[in-house]
Amino acid sequence: MQEISVRHGSRMANRMLQLLAADTLSQWGGDAPITGHHIPEWGLAGPPSLAGHRAAPKIDVSRVDAPWLRSLIANGLIERLKINTVVCDVALLPDRARANALFDAGDTPYFATGPQDLVIHVRLEDIMVPGRHASYGPLPIAWYRDVLTDTGLRPVFVGQFSTDAYSDALKAAFPHAVILEGGSVLHDFQTIRHAHNVAIGVSTFSWMAAWLGTSSRIFYPLLGMLNPEQEPGINLIPEGDARFRFYKFPHRLWRADAAALEDVIHGPSQAHKIDGAALTRLTDAARASYEPRLSEWRSAILDKVEMRQMAA
């Protein structure tokens, strides 16, 4: 292959996902050069895209058909690929050792926690604006209470606190918790990455930090964008990774209005822990429901391949 071109996403973790997908594709294509990426937090930037990249087949779906794509690359049918969206697909991630080497934080400071602590990432900020991010949203406080009761761990909250009702309620519910506010992006990322136990938020940021990290237990809420029933085009469930504990939530569209805040502050968790068999059924159903969109994407790729062959 001649090039893997990246049209980078908006936030750090999304750009990291894109670069990791590009790295895998590059390996499949004989170490093809990666262009266009830019992740200043990690000091990573690629050269400009090469001429002709606009006509390249595009990855414009977050979930791909990885075996099919790898076969096309192996058979020399694709010279270039353009990553046009955030690829949220574990099938396109390299192994964790390679990924960790790519994102080396050096001596970046972080808050060190012990095996008795549960580092809980809180994703707020723009998702507290009504109507902006329906597939995101904060976790029910009752879920944190349930997980902490079941495990006996001590809460350490890190993330985006503000002067909002949810932040205030969370602090009131856990008055003895450690609350880490105002840290840099890499400080918070590394705090999660080095934690012994992590509860991720509905967030690619905490997902990425936990996946890369050294945790022995990762508590994974299948909620919003992380719920395959709700977002079948996102495949961020690393099946077979024994670190993860999965909790299934009902379908939810987050509105950030008074009723929604009442639910997450005072309502029940509504989550239940699921085993490996239930998780597999969930992921299989999600892939099947996304198949029509994947079929469209495969057809678009083949159209580009045919055009290149006709021009050759």
Side-chain angles (χ1 to χ4, degrees), residues 153-224:
L153 297 173
R154 302 185 308 195
V156 178
F157 291 97
V158 60
Q160 301 164 322
F161 290 89
S162 185
T163 56
D164 60 89
Y166 184 82
S167 295
D168 293 343
L170 198 61
K171 293 174 183 178
F174 304 100
H176 303 296
V178 175
I179 307 289
L180 304 176
E181 300 181 72
S184 70
V185 170
L186 283 188
H187 171 275
D188 290 356
F189 191 91
Q190 290 298 97
T191 296
I192 299 168
R193 191 177 187 177
H194 287 277
H196 292 257
N197 306 285
V198 175
I200 66 174
V202 183
S203 153
T204 55
F205 179 89
S206 57
W207 186 95
M208 178 61 72
W211 179 76
L212 287 173
T214 57
S215 299
S216 58
R217 287 182 291 181
I218 301 170
F219 299 88
Y220 191 125
L222 296 165
L223 176 65

Side-chain angles (χ1 to χ4, degrees), residues 5 13 27 110 115 146 157 164 173 178 208 248 256 266 291 296:
S5 175
Q27 291 181 72
Y110 62 91
D146 290 347
F157 291 97
D164 60 89
V178 175
M208 178 61 72
K248 177 69 170 58
H266 298 296
E291 178 56 33
E296 292 177 0

Side-chain angles (χ1 to χ4, degrees), residues 84-192:
N84 249 21
T85 191
V86 179
V87 182
C88 298
D89 193 338
V90 292
L92 279 185
L93 295 180
D95 65 72
R96 285 173 55 224
R98 184 178 178 96
N100 271 294
L102 186 59
F103 299 112
D104 183 359
D107 57 358
T108 298
Y110 62 91
F111 187 87
T113 55
Q116 74 282 359
D117 297 314
L118 177 64
V119 173
I120 300 170
H121 179 243
V122 179
R123 167 79 163 92
L124 297 177
E125 200 183 38
D126 57 327
I127 68 170
M128 301 304 284
V129 178
R132 179 166 292 185
H133 292 297
S135 291
Y136 285 77
L139 274 294
I141 290 176
W143 182 65
Y144 295 133
R145 189 178 291 112
D146 290 347
V147 172
L148 291 166
T149 298
D150 290 346
T151 61
L153 297 173
R154 302 185 308 195
V156 178
F157 291 97
V158 60
Q160 301 164 322
F161 290 89
S162 185
T163 56
D164 60 89
Y166 184 82
S167 295
D168 293 343
L170 198 61
K171 293 174 183 178
F174 304 100
H176 303 296
V178 175
I179 307 289
L180 304 176
E181 300 181 72
S184 70
V185 170
L186 283 188
H187 171 275
D188 290 356
F189 191 91
Q190 290 298 97
T191 296
I192 299 168

Side-chain angles (χ1 to χ4, degrees), residues 33-49:
I34 302 172
T35 65
H37 62 284
H38 179 60
I39 316 177
E41 295 89 347
W42 297 99
L44 297 172
S49 297

